[in-house]
Amino acid sequence: MASLKIVLREKRSNDGTYPLAIRVTVERKTTYIYLGYYLKKTDWDEVNQKVKKSHPNSVRLNHLILQKKTEASDSLMLVQGQTKTVALSAVRDNITPKAGPSFFAQADIFIENMRKAGKYNRVKTDQTRINHFKEFLGDRDISFPEITVPLLNRFKAYLKGSRGISERTIVNHLLIL
């Protein structure tokens, strides 16, 4: 039998707040999955497992808590349905989100495949376009779900404004992405 509970952990941060986590218990073994939010003890209702109205974002946080608890419960039932014995590590791996491949790692693979295919002229131009996107992001890596329409619009404005690139060349940049 496995159980889920939303808890405020006892490990206090420097600003006097406590991390919010999902406690998963399987066969008297416990693991915590942190939600990435910190609260004061006065803003937490331990009995009802929700944020009190005294917190400025209580409605949103309670909605997030409900959503995460539902996802965790669904994942737990999925793991329990697949096997007779439930391992805590299997539950944790199924509940915690997995980061997908990063954009620039995939871009490197793309460029390498073009080199292997002998398309050396395209390698140079496409690598330049990828480098422009990397400059725009400030050399930080990005995952595919983070590439959104607003981000691409900002990238277009960056190319047009600071680089002075024409519309057709901007479209070529976007095709690579």
Side-chain angles (χ1 to χ4, degrees), residues 13-144:
S13 64
N14 292 338
D15 60 354
T17 57
Y18 298 86
L20 196 57
I22 299 173
R23 184 179 69 200
V24 182
T25 306
V26 177
E27 296 178 8
R28 291 188 272 170
K29 294 179 184 169
T30 303
T31 187
Y32 293 91
I33 300 165
Y34 292 93
L35 300 178
Y37 291 92
Y38 293 81
L39 298 172
K40 294 179 183 175
K41 279 194 174 187
T42 57
D43 291 333
W44 179 245
D45 182 1
E46 193 168 335
V47 174
N48 297 321
Q49 299 177 29
K50 65 181 194 176
V51 180
K52 292 180 181 176
K53 290 183 181 179
S54 61
H55 191 275
N57 288 325
S58 64
V59 174
R60 289 183 181 157
L61 280 173
N62 284 328
H63 179 69
L64 174 85
I65 289 168
L66 182 63
Q67 181 182 1
K68 293 294 184 180
K69 189 172 183 179
T70 304
E71 288 174 13
S73 178
D74 290 345
S75 296
L76 185 61
M77 285 190 288
L78 180 71
V79 169
Q80 285 177 329
Q82 290 174 348
T83 60
K84 289 185 178 182
T85 59
V86 178
L88 190 61
S89 60
V91 173
R92 183 174 180 79
D93 291 344
N94 201 3
I95 292 174
T96 54
K98 291 140 188 88
S102 70
F103 173 78
F104 294 113
Q106 290 294 83
D108 290 341
I109 293 169
F110 173 73
I111 295 294
E112 188 58 35
N113 286 340
M114 282 199 309
R115 277 195 184 104
K116 288 177 183 175
K119 299 179 180 181
Y120 298 109
N121 289 338
R122 281 196 55 203
V123 166
K124 183 178 178 185
T125 57
D126 288 349
Q127 185 65 58
T128 302
R129 292 173 184 150
I130 292 167
N131 289 342
H132 286 164
F133 189 56
K134 191 180 259 188
E135 273 179 34
F136 166 71
L137 293 174
D139 286 334
R140 76 173 177 89
D141 208 351
I142 190 168
S143 65
F144 283 99

